[in-house]
Amino acid sequence: MCRAFVDSSSSCADPCKPLPHPRVGNRSYQLDTNVRQRFDLLRFVMIFGVVVLHTPQYVAIADVGNDGFSLFKAFFQNAMFRTTVPVLTFISGYLVFHANLDLAPKKLLLKKARSLLLPFLVFNLPMVAIAWLAVSFAGLKLSYDLTSSDPMVWANAVFGLTSAPINYPLNFLRDMMALVLITPLLGLLLRHMPFIGLAFCVAFFLNNLDGPFVLRDTMPIVFYMGGMVACCKWELRAWDEYAWPCLLVFLVLCASIIYFRNANTTLLRLVSPMLVWPASALFVQSRFGQWCVRMNKYSFFLFMAHAPVLVISWQLYQRVGDVVPYPMYWVATPVLTTALMVLLYRAGMKVMPGMLQFALGGRARRPAGLPAQAGQAMPVAAPAVTVANMNPSASTTNN
């Protein structure tokens, strides 16, 4: 058992012994090519899934029709891509603890301030301003009443204090920042009593004892699970031989959500990383898998900027709905949105690479041949705003 799940550098007697602080250039802490490519593959697939999940119009599982398209749409929006955030959170947890950042809180906070907080502010604050203009002068009705003098309304719209911010997909970054604050505490549990810590996380967060600290109750648990794999040095590819059974179980779970019209997807969210990760071994070396690996560089920009495009697309579709069938709109919109984000990213990296790198927290990859710049280490109709008749918040609060 130890041989199956723990790598050769670990000890069965003390599988969660803390790793020493990684040093720059120490290759023993670098991910091998297969694992890195599988992370890249899953990031792009899951973030494309987020776009699909947010494509209007959301239909609650209890209201899903029995026709073929309705069931097809529900399979992806109400089941399969409800696992996007858990899978991405699991990967984040693994990488944070793999790098031993929980043992260096100052370094962790500085790193995440750049990679999470900065992009959050850059992509959310302009949306607040545009939304206020749209409400005040265009008369649009939004789920956020920005004409209100209630400071909590503004605090949530700007910072996502107790609910999703106005650029609603960024509630993932908001929750990740909350998890960063408790990472040193989670690290203590992981390195000294990992299984007791897991039980504590399940009991504490699934019962919402943290209140609005983390908006998605399953995120801290799967973040901890990813950290557990890293700290206990479990072999990431131990279950690759069960990739097909894991994929089959995952698909059956998703199908059962639709068949039984089950609105509670907590179990699916909790187990999905352990099923999706082995299944990724089936695709990573395929042409499709390698294409997804190459597309990963666009993933974060796609995630941050897709909401305004979806809001505008829905407003436009409502004007041409008699001509364009809704199934065509729903299938084409995520693909066209992704293509547009790729084009914008490429244009941004040619015209203002330094600014784009800054906005994305240093993630943007500079095209070959462009010199480094010093200091580098939306639409008028309210982009990324939850329009009242669209109500994407119903589908994004717990995605």
Side-chain angles (χ1 to χ4, degrees):
M1 177 173 229
C2 190
R3 184 177 301 171
F5 294 98
V6 184
D7 69 21
S8 59
S9 64
S10 65
S11 165
C12 292
D14 190 10
C16 289
K17 181 180 179 181
L19 297 171
H21 283 283
R23 294 183 175 88
V24 176
N26 188 336
R27 293 182 181 273
S28 64
Y29 293 98
Q30 295 180 1
L31 300 174
D32 69 36
T33 300
N34 178 268
V35 171
R36 186 175 63 251
Q37 288 189 346
R38 286 165 70 174
F39 281 155
D40 291 346
L41 162 68
L42 288 176
R43 282 194 194 99
F44 177 72
V45 171
M46 292 297 123
I47 289 178
F48 178 78
V50 170
V51 179
V52 174
L53 189 66
H54 291 165
T55 300
Q57 192 173 34
Y58 172 71
V59 178
I61 188 67
D63 300 323
V64 171
N66 290 316
D67 60 284
F69 173 74
S70 294
L71 294 174
F72 174 80
K73 176 175 178 283
F75 180 81
F76 291 100
Q77 281 197 324
N78 297 84
M80 177 178 282
F81 288 139
R82 291 286 160 179
T83 67
T84 54
V85 164
V87 172
L88 293 171
T89 304
F90 180 88
I91 292 173
S92 296
Y94 176 84
L95 293 175
V96 165
F97 290 98
H98 177 76
N100 287 335
L101 288 174
D102 60 303
L103 301 176
K106 182 178 179 180
K107 181 179 179 181
L108 172 66
L109 289 174
L110 290 175
K111 179 181 177 67
K112 297 306 178 182
R114 183 189 184 198
S115 63
L116 294 178
L117 179 59
L118 178 60
F120 178 93
L121 296 175
V122 168
F123 282 87
N124 195 61
L125 292 181
M127 307 308 175
V128 176
I130 295 173
W132 180 81
L133 291 173
V135 170
S136 301
F137 299 101
L140 288 184
K141 293 182 179 180
L142 309 175
S143 59
Y144 269 112
D145 181 12
L146 296 182
T147 62
S148 172
S149 59
D150 184 351
M152 187 56 69
V153 171
W154 283 90
N156 284 326
V158 176
F159 301 113
L161 194 61
T162 62
S163 63
I166 203 160
N167 189 351
Y168 51 89
L170 303 194
N171 57 356
F172 174 69
L173 268 67
R174 179 254 183 235
D175 279 350
M176 283 302 305
M177 288 186 283
L179 292 177
V180 165
L181 296 178
I182 61 172
T183 289
L185 175 60
L186 297 179
L188 287 175
L189 295 173
L190 281 166
R191 297 179 187 280
H192 297 285
M193 48 182 71
F195 292 99
I196 294 175
L198 178 60
F200 170 79
C201 286
V202 171
F204 187 82
F205 289 103
L206 285 189
N207 287 293
N208 197 32
L209 298 181
D210 64 310
F213 181 71
V214 181
L215 299 180
R216 297 178 179 88
D217 53 10
T218 56
M219 270 189 69
I221 301 170
V222 292
F223 184 79
Y224 186 94
M225 290 164 59
M228 200 168 179
V229 173
C231 289
C232 295
K233 295 186 282 186
W234 291 343
E235 173 54 57
L236 281 171
R237 287 164 292 194
W239 281 21
D240 283 6
E241 59 184 302
Y242 306 110
W244 279 111
C246 286
L247 178 61
L248 179 61
V249 170
F250 175 71
L251 294 176
V252 169
L253 283 175
C254 292
S256 67
I257 294 287
I258 307 306
Y259 182 81
F260 293 106
R261 300 297 197 269
N262 184 8
N264 186 346
T265 57
T266 299
L267 176 61
L268 177 64
R269 297 171 197 271
L270 290 176
V271 303
S272 59
M274 301 303 182
L275 298 173
V276 171
W277 172 255
S280 67
L282 299 171
F283 306 101
V284 68
Q285 295 303 325
S286 67
R287 288 186 179 181
F288 170 75
Q290 288 298 302
W291 178 78
C292 290
V293 170
R294 294 191 297 272
M295 291 293 288
N296 174 59
K297 64 182 177 181
Y298 307 111
S299 296
F300 191 67
F301 181 70
L302 172 63
F303 178 81
M304 301 297 288
H306 72 274
V309 178
L310 294 182
V311 171
I312 292 174
S313 74
W314 182 244
Q315 298 302 306
L316 293 175
Y317 172 73
Q318 290 180 312
R319 290 175 169 80
V320 298
D322 294 337
V323 178
V324 179
Y326 176 71
M328 181 181 296
Y329 163 81
W330 187 82
V331 171
T333 297
V335 176
L336 295 176
T337 299
T338 301
L340 176 61
M341 293 299 102
V342 169
L343 293 175
L344 290 177
Y345 179 95
R346 290 178 176 175
M349 287 305 292
K350 289 182 178 179
V351 177
M352 47 181 184
M355 185 177 295
L356 186 58
Q357 283 187 319
F358 174 81
L360 296 178
R363 288 179 178 83
R365 300 180 186 178
R366 186 181 304 278
L370 285 181
Q373 296 183 359
Q376 284 305 308
M378 301 265 180
V380 176
V385 171
T386 308
V387 180
N389 62 359
M390 174 178 166
N391 193 22
S393 60
S395 65
T396 60
T397 301
N398 263 335
N399 61 13

